Every structure is written in C-alpha cells, then in structure tokens.
Amino acid sequence: MRAKVKILEVETGRFMVVINEEDAKKAKLHPEDLIKIETAKRTIYGEVVISNMVGPGEIGVTKDILSTYTFSEGEIVNVAPAGTPESVRYVKKKMKGQKLKKVEIEAIVKDIVDRKLRDIEISSFVTSLEINGLDMDEIAWLTVAMAETGDMLDIDRKPIMDVHSIGGVPGNKTNILVVPIVAAAGLTIPKTSSRAITSAAGTADVMEVLAPVTHSLDEIKRIVEKIGACLVWGGALNLAPADDLTIKAERALSIDPRGLMLASIMSKKYAMGSQYVLIDIPTGEGVKVETIEEARSLAKDFIELGKRLGQYVEVAITYGGQPIGHTVGPALEAKEALETIMTGKGPGSLVEKATGLAGILLEMGGVAPAGMGKKMAKEILESGKAYEKLKEIIAEQGGDPNIKPEDIPIGDKTYTFVAQTSGYVTKIDNRAITTIARTAGAPEDKGAGIFLHVKVGEKVKEEDPLFTIHAESEARLDQAIIQARRLEPIRIEGMVLQRIGNL
Ligand SMILES: O=P(O)(O)OC[C@H]1O[C@H](OP(=O)(O)O)[C@H](O)[C@@H]1O
Ligand SMILES: O=c1cc[nH]c(=O)[nH]1
C-alpha cells in the first residue's frame, strides 16, 4: 500500500509504525506484525501499531525511527508486510542447543541491526544464549559480526589501550579513575562503556552525571586525538550497534550470558581499534563470576578471543565480594569518584582497584617498568595529574570541568537503616544492594542509590547507621524500604564463632 508519512512526537523505545484501523483491516495487518517501509533510497523495518492517531492513507513514524533515519512529513512511501526473517529459524536452532554456522550468526546480527528481529525475538536469542551458550568459534563470529555491522574508529595515535569490566559488582565506578590515570601518563585510551546491565549504574550512567556521554564517532576521534582519552557511551555510536539492542533484553532480564558478554565487550574494543585490552573480572559472592576457577576460565576465553581478533588481552581478577567504595547509583558514584580523584584519597577498595588496574595498563603500554605500574598510577592519582586529565575529558565532552562533588544533586528522599545489634559487619549482599538501589530508581533516576556507612569487617554499635537509601520520589523510596526490610542486605554478627572449653 502507498501511504503518506506523518511524523509523530512519540517515543516508544522500539521501531513502531502506526497504521490507521481501516487501512490495517484492508491490508490484513495486525499489532506487532513486522512491516517494511520502502522509499526510493532504502527499506526500513518496524512493528505495526494500530491507531486512529493517523488517518486513512497515512503511516505514523515515531521519534525512535527518526533518530536513525530521515523522513519528511507528507513523504510518500510503500508499506508492505515483511514476513518472518530467515534468522528466526537460526534463533530457534540455538534454542534447541545446536551450534550455529558463521552465516547464521551474521544473519541474526544483521537482522537485529536492521530491526527485522523484534524485541521478543531478540529476547529469545539472548535467553537461548543464557541457557545453551556459544563455543569459541561462535563467539568469535558473533564478535566480528557485531563490530562489522557498525562503524570502526581509526585513531591517529598508537598504541591504543583499553579497559573494560564485565561489571556485576555494585559501586564499580573504578574506570572513571583508571582512564584519566592512564591518559595522564601519555597513553591513548578511548573508553566506551555500556549503561547498566545487571547493576544500578554502568560507567556510562556515572560519567553522564559529570558530562554528556553521547557523541558521534567524529567527535570522539577529535577528542581522543587531542587529549588521549574519552569516557563515552558505546550505545550512542553506530559502534557494534547490535550490542545496545541485546543489552536492552539483558537488562530487562538482569542476565549477561557469557558468550554474548565476551562478544559485547570485545566487539566494542575491536571497533575502537584497541590494541592492548585489560579486562576486569570482579569475582565474589553475588556477582557474575563467583569463584576464582570460573574467573580463570573466563579469562582464558577473553585472551583466546583477543588472539583471534589480533588484540593483546590481559585479565585482572578483582575482589567483588562486596560493593566498591561506599556508593551505589549514578550520582552518588560520580560524587565519590570525583572526591577521590580530586584529593587522591578515597575508600581503600576504590583506590586500590583503580590504581591496580591502571598500573597493569601502564605496564602493558610500556610507560612503567614491570612491577612498578601500580606505584606510578598512585603517584599520578595523588599528584592531581589524573584530576587534571579528568577535567580535560569533562570539558571536551561538553561538561563543566570545575564541577565539585557538592554540586552533584543526590536524591533528597532518604531513609537510613541502623544496626539492630552491636557486632561486626560480616556480609554485604551484592545482589540485595543492587536490587534495592534499582528499586529506588537507579540508574534512570540519577540521584537514586545507596550510601553504605559501613563495609565488611567494620565494628558497629546498636543504632549506628548502616546504609542510607536515596530516591528522587517518595513512592520509589517506599518501595526500596520494603525491599530492604525483606532482603536485609547487611549482616552483623559477633566475631567469636565458637568457644571451646575442656574437651
Ligand atoms: O555491572 P553491569 O551493569 O552488569 O555491567 C555493565 C557495566 O560494566 C562495564 O563496565 P565498564 O564500562 O568497563 O566500566 C560496562 O561498560 C558497564 O558500565
Ligand atoms: O559492555 C559490557 C559489559 C558487561 N557485559 C556486557 O555484555 N557488555
């Protein structure tokens, strides 16, 4: 059918095409059917929404489609059912636990990027990977397909360093410190991050409190060639574009299937032209990787994948048994990261992890002698050079380089839980902390999250504050309080485990 485009000021988070009720009846179109819109220059795909907000002979194009494609009001297009893409068959093949061929993986990725696969099919693909996994051949094909369906960055500075965490541990604002430390030593580190997947704040969510993180590839090239670093959101670029769409499904289910995680991370590194990559695997109870054995096996996969892509990869297995630092949630984490980089002092877990990771990168990049990287990273942090570099990054990305921790707005609806008994903090439950912070509104509500007054091993007295929930709305605060009462995220016990007398 021929139709006239009507631009709709509607945002749905999906590629939706609105068809009038009468037209839909005539064309036998049903809600959520996949249709194609053909113009002289291109074909784009979207899901049907039936509504009389458009008249007969019109189709409504939403802001989501317009963020990628240009349409003008009144433009005449051809609209037709698109049928079921062949790649759905390959998704079903993976659901049955079978190995996919290279061409099948390429077809799935291309159809995700072209929006031929709808959210429901993408979720099925992600779920099938969670259940049935991928072998190393499939992971490598998936990684390259994810990178090659998007743009590639070619930065005119070498070597290109990079760091990426598999995430999962609450409060992981570490890379906000690592990147400026490494760049202050003269190395080039174009860091792209995703937003939160399973946590209450991804590095992109935290950085966005300090400066815009959505930049074009040309802007990133300019910034990195000028100052040696950036801290941006990968999803804003046409860089491994399937990644953000699969992450959307992962976030909804709070899962991060191993094979997809490897491909997600390494496709972004490949597309950025990174040559030396450090992967952080937080390990501990309640995070993505719970044991050192699992971490070592994942590390082997990252290194093997790096070899296949022509990248030198090292892995740091880091402590993830409790949150990093004292804060969880975008604004609270940005405040803590800024305070730490400004003063060179901060929570031991944050400073140790950041300087440890930065130190490895300094050695990998050849600016620190073997075994001296961490010391050099600490000196750069304490000297204020890392802060100066972060200010440059903030300024180049369009933020206020003179922003102070106290300028950062934190959710003003608060509730503090106190100790019911005296004793020692023996456990902070990572999953519970993330659940409570997300219930309070993080990461979408930037000011929402948790401030931890105590960490594992500390002594508390009855009535001492344990943690404060911050929210931007009373309703979300109330829900978070209910969750916190149910989950009891902080355990306090006496330290004497047994007293044994005469046996
Ligand atoms: O913790 P969750 O939300 O599962 O994982 C997502 C986070 O982990 C990675 O961290 P980084 O960008 O390397 O610092 C991602 O980019 C993202 O920020
Ligand atoms: O970028 C990331 C980080 C963790 N897991 C992913 O799938 N992608």
Side-chain angles (χ1 to χ4, degrees), residues 164-167 193-194 197 243 247 250 256 260-262 264-265 268 288:
H164 211 96
S165 175
I166 70 157
S193 292
S194 49
I197 301 172
D243 185 46
I247 281 181
E250 291 178 319
D256 198 3
L260 187 55
M261 175 213 285
L262 278 145
S264 158
I265 292 175
K268 285 178 283 204
K288 292 176 192 178

Side-chain angles (χ1 to χ4, degrees), residues 389-468:
K389 185 54 79 175
L390 180 66
K391 282 169 74 175
E392 284 178 41
I393 298 172
I394 293 174
E396 289 297 330
Q397 291 186 199
D400 171 9
N402 297 314
I403 185 169
K404 300 281 175 294
E406 53 276 20
D407 300 335
I408 297 173
I410 304 298
D412 60 351
K413 315 287 183 282
T414 63
Y415 188 89
T416 299
F417 280 78
V418 298
Q420 301 296 313
T421 174
S422 298
Y424 290 85
V425 177
T426 57
K427 181 178 170 180
I428 300 184
D429 183 331
N430 282 322
R431 284 205 185 93
I433 290 291
T434 296
T435 305
I436 298 161
R438 280 169 72 131
T439 308
E444 289 83 5
D445 296 349
K446 290 262 191 277
I450 291 178
F451 184 88
L452 294 163
H453 298 276
V454 293
K455 298 295 297 281
V456 171
E458 288 178 15
K459 194 173 176 181
V460 292
K461 292 196 299 299
E462 195 177 331
E463 295 297 318
D464 275 354
L466 294 180
F467 64 100
T468 299

Side-chain angles (χ1 to χ4, degrees), residues 36-54:
K36 52 183 176 186
I37 306 175
E38 293 164 322
T39 70
K41 289 192 203 125
R42 59 179 185 260
T43 301
I44 75 142
Y45 296 83
E47 284 174 59
V48 169
V49 174
I50 299 174
S51 161
N52 288 337
M53 68 199 288
V54 299

Side-chain angles (χ1 to χ4, degrees), residues 499-503:
R499 178 173 173 179
I500 301 174
N502 288 335
L503 290 174

